[in-house]
Amino acid sequence: MLLMDEPSNQKQSSIKTPTDMPASDSKDSADIENKTNGSVESKNIDWSNVSSSTPENGQLPDPSEWAVNDVVDYFKAAGFEEQASAFKDQEIDGKSLLLMTRNDVLTGLCIRLGPALKIYEYHVKPLQTQHLKSNAA
């Protein structure tokens, strides 16, 4: 009976797992994740395009006075360049934005599901929550 040694020239996988990545790769991938998922903090958004409001004390601005173009500029600055036009097409101003439901964002804007979910969870919902809190005082 002849025993064969395992071949030593087997190809190794080039796919990196989180434990295989050096610290810098992990940081870079986290930065990419933050940019691609739209979950940016208000301090990272270029508010100069949003004419009606600027951030105060690191809080999101109240969009109730925003025009349609302000809403479009907000989403462009938040990294949703492609999807921002849907707000213009549907004539969503600040007051309309504050009234939107999750279903409105997911189905009424005719945008892809992934970005729509991120827009609602990371932007519309927090803007609505902050607006309610600021008006309750």
Side-chain angles (χ1 to χ4, degrees), residues 14-90:
S14 62
I15 299 173
K16 293 182 181 180
T17 62
T19 55
D20 295 336
M21 291 182 186
S24 63
D25 281 354
S26 297
K27 180 186 177 295
D28 292 342
S29 63
D31 288 345
I32 290 169
E33 179 65 21
N34 285 340
K35 290 176 186 170
T36 59
N37 74 11
S39 60
V40 294
E41 297 292 325
S42 60
K43 63 185 175 189
N44 294 335
I45 296 174
D46 178 13
W47 296 102
S48 62
N49 292 336
V50 182
S51 61
S52 300
S53 302
T54 56
E56 296 177 13
N57 303 328
Q59 294 185 344
L60 295 171
D62 181 5
S64 62
E65 300 300 319
W66 288 358
V68 172
N69 285 335
D70 293 328
V71 172
V72 171
D73 290 343
Y74 171 84
F75 285 106
K76 283 182 179 179
F80 293 100
E81 188 78 28
E82 268 184 52
Q83 294 78 17
S85 63
F87 290 89
K88 186 171 187 167
D89 294 343
Q90 296 298 321

Side-chain angles (χ1 to χ4, degrees), residues 108-132:
L109 293 176
C110 300
I111 58 178
R112 296 171 83 145
L113 181 60
L117 287 166
K118 293 168 188 170
I119 286 170
Y120 181 76
E121 287 298 319
Y122 299 129
H123 297 282
V124 175
K125 194 169 158 182
L127 286 168
Q128 291 171 335
T129 301
Q130 181 148 339
H131 175 75
L132 290 172

